[in-house]
Amino acid sequence: MKTYYDVVIIGSGMGGLVAANILAREGRSVCVLEKNNQFGGNLQTFVRERTIFDTGVHYIGGLSEGQNLYRYFDYLGILEGLEFKQLNTDGFDIITFDNDPMEYPHAQGYDNFRKQLVERFPDEEKAIQTYCDKLQEICTKFPLYNVENGKPYSNDPDIFQQSAKDFIDSITDNEKLRAVLGGSNLLYAGEPDRTPIYVHALSCNSYIESAYRCADGGSQITKLLIRKLKEHGGEAFKHSEVVDIECVDKQIVSVKTAKGDVVLGEHFISNIEPKHTLTLVGEEHFRKAYTRRIQELESTISAFSIHIVLKPETFKYLNKNYYHFKDHRSIWKAHEYTEDSWPETYMLSMGARKNQGEWGDQLTAITYMRYEEVAQWEDTFNTVAHKNSRGQTYEQFKLEKAELFVQELEKKFPNIRACIQSVHTSTPLSYRDYIGCNQGSMYGYVKDVNNPLKAFISARTKIPNLYFTGQSLNMHGILGVTISGVVTCSEILGSEYIINKINTREKKQKAIV
């Protein structure tokens, strides 16, 4: 590790690695500092009984040729070498409900999406068409989402001040169709009176365009980004937690790691929680109003996950995800569960192998969990790099929750218990410690139609050479944080520089072909 870099990046989530690669390609000396045993944030994987599990990235959208994420990945030079498996085109997501044997698919391609749902709801063709048109219309109003220059149409109240639930309710009176159209809302922790329609549209559209799984885990994306970073002269260091950020005369001059390394730089990019960043810098270096605004931002709810290792050749591989609800009339309120009703919803996804056969070897099921349920153990900290026990009561808590969750899965998959080799769990504390998100938040900060600008955080902070990147900026997910990396670099390189480079490169490639 050198003592000085043009750019020092704190945290190696996807946004930080994208920013690191872009700036290294432009000739900047770049250093990425990561506290954990693995790079990648939500792209981290873990192994139980020789079985690979993803931490947070269970499927990816927009990856077919010419689509948005494909174009960003192509520019970064990581498409070649990535192994993906496309999910079922007639139903990549399946929405289901208790006491209803019907399975309601979200299909790939808007024509097919309409076709599959009209077969289930023949009297609702107009509503389904209106829904599809609206999603596509909204996505055109976010230029970077379409790899174009410009800023979102922030003066359009229909995008920022209409909730997803209100829009869906406005196009049909059919309660079951409403539930199906909003049924993947665990993707963004949807709330009935707050989640804007643009969050729903940006989250769902890229999957409708195309949906893939990372074969053998999302960490392959991280490995390629690290490899490309090094090819361009950049450096990345694990076990290098930043514990202090030094600010002198309203400029960041250096960071200090837990090991005592001091790294100086010209620009500093924080890919960690903005609230924590302000604490590391010292809140006295920011205006009180700015600090108050950041610290008062509400984080989205957290999650509880069970990771199941399956007995060999007992459970067929499912090339699709399930979003299941107990009650189709309350799909927007599953986060308001009680102790007796938990879990009210879950998303079930299986990992894919490079040469995936008939049988699955693992599955993960995720549901909501409020941080307050694990708050009694919040003073404990446990990762691979810093192993600690949270105590027997915590282990008992996880066992009891896992058993309740398996009982819920049995309603949908009656034979699943006989297929289980072992069960492993993640709680809000797991996400907090491994990902570094506030109280284990699933998706950064809450977006609220009642105060649409509150959760928008600029990549440029109130300190001229300190920048933010990652899911806290605008949108979460692989595409969202990739765009955040582009936005952050635009503050350093110029607002149109990167997009122009991507589009110029594509034109040259097409001309060669």
Side-chain angles (χ1 to χ4, degrees), residues 2-219:
K2 296 183 292 189
T3 56
Y4 179 90
Y5 295 86
D6 296 330
V7 185
V8 178
I9 298 177
I10 306 162
S12 70
M14 184 78 183
L17 291 181
V18 168
N21 271 269
I22 291 171
L23 292 165
R25 286 168 68 114
E26 295 300 320
R28 304 297 206 277
S29 61
V30 178
C31 169
V32 178
L33 301 172
E34 168 57 49
K35 71 171 184 176
N36 277 334
N37 193 49
Q38 280 187 63
F39 297 112
N42 263 316
L43 286 168
Q44 293 175 79
T45 54
F46 61 95
V47 177
R48 295 290 182 271
E49 300 186 50
R50 294 180 293 179
T51 303
I52 300 171
F53 289 92
D54 276 298
T55 301
V57 178
H58 301 288
Y59 62 137
I60 300 174
L63 257 183
S64 288
E65 187 169 356
Q67 293 174 355
N68 48 17
L69 192 59
Y70 178 98
R71 295 170 67 190
Y72 281 118
F73 276 15
D74 185 44
Y75 168 71
L76 293 165
I78 62 171
L79 275 177
E80 194 172 330
L82 289 177
E83 295 276 354
F84 294 110
K85 180 173 179 60
Q86 187 164 13
L87 294 171
N88 287 353
T89 54
D90 287 343
F92 63 92
D93 281 346
I94 307 296
I95 316 301
T96 58
F97 311 97
D98 275 5
N99 306 312
D100 182 353
M102 178 77 78
E103 296 193 339
Y104 301 93
H106 288 184
Q108 295 181 54
Y110 274 98
D111 288 343
N112 196 22
F113 184 92
R114 282 188 290 266
K115 175 178 176 288
Q116 297 297 331
L117 287 185
V118 169
E119 285 181 8
R120 276 82 176 170
F121 300 95
D123 298 330
E124 296 290 335
E125 185 169 3
K126 182 181 177 183
I128 295 165
Q129 180 70 54
T130 301
Y131 172 83
C132 292
D133 291 345
K134 183 70 168 181
L135 261 59
Q136 293 173 92
E137 176 197 344
I138 289 171
C139 291
T140 64
K141 297 184 178 183
F142 290 79
L144 287 175
Y145 188 86
N146 298 292
V147 202
E148 296 171 355
N149 281 310
K151 296 185 182 297
Y153 291 31
S154 56
N155 61 347
D156 189 336
D158 283 349
I159 297 177
F160 295 98
Q161 296 175 7
Q162 183 179 31
S163 75
K165 180 181 184 299
D166 282 351
F167 167 70
I168 291 171
D169 287 356
S170 74
I171 61 173
T172 177
D173 293 326
N174 187 308
E175 286 191 341
K176 189 61 67 75
L177 178 59
R178 288 174 173 179
V180 170
L181 294 176
S184 59
N185 63 23
L186 199 142
L187 269 174
Y188 48 85
E191 295 186 51
D193 304 319
R194 298 207 285 178
T195 303
I197 181 59
Y198 83 86
V199 170
H200 175 89
L202 296 180
S203 297
C204 296
N205 173 76
S206 59
Y207 293 112
I208 294 174
E209 290 189 336
S210 65
Y212 294 82
R213 280 185 180 143
C214 294
D216 290 340
S219 61

Side-chain angles (χ1 to χ4, degrees), residues 324-344:
H324 184 80
F325 296 86
K326 286 184 175 178
D327 187 345
H328 71 272
R329 292 162 298 189
S330 57
I331 67 151
W332 295 99
K333 294 190 174 183
H335 60 287
E336 297 177 1
Y337 64 85
T338 64
E339 185 177 352
D340 292 333
S341 70
W342 184 92
E344 294 191 13

Side-chain angles (χ1 to χ4, degrees), residues 457-494:
I457 299 178
S458 171
R460 185 180 288 277
T461 74
K462 300 303 180 182
I463 294 175
N465 67 334
L466 175 66
Y467 310 86
F468 289 135
T469 199
Q471 71 171 2
S472 298
L473 252 61
N474 292 314
M475 281 295 292
H476 59 276
I478 290 291
L479 178 60
V481 295
T482 297
I483 292 172
S484 83
V486 172
V487 169
T488 303
C489 291
S490 296
E491 295 288 347
I492 298 171
L493 300 171

Side-chain angles (χ1 to χ4, degrees), residues 50-54 58 83-88 212-217 220 308 310-320 349-364:
R50 294 180 293 179
T51 303
I52 300 171
F53 289 92
D54 276 298
H58 301 288
E83 295 276 354
F84 294 110
K85 180 173 179 60
Q86 187 164 13
L87 294 171
N88 287 353
Y212 294 82
R213 280 185 180 143
C214 294
D216 290 340
Q220 60 172 303
I308 295 175
L310 296 163
K311 294 175 183 175
E313 298 188 5
T314 58
F315 195 93
K316 294 282 182 71
Y317 170 73
L318 302 170
N319 198 36
K320 53 193 173 185
S349 184
M350 299 188 76
R353 294 286 193 160
K354 286 177 182 173
N355 299 304
Q356 181 61 53
E358 177 184 5
W359 302 99
D361 62 359
Q362 58 99 313
L363 64 82
T364 293

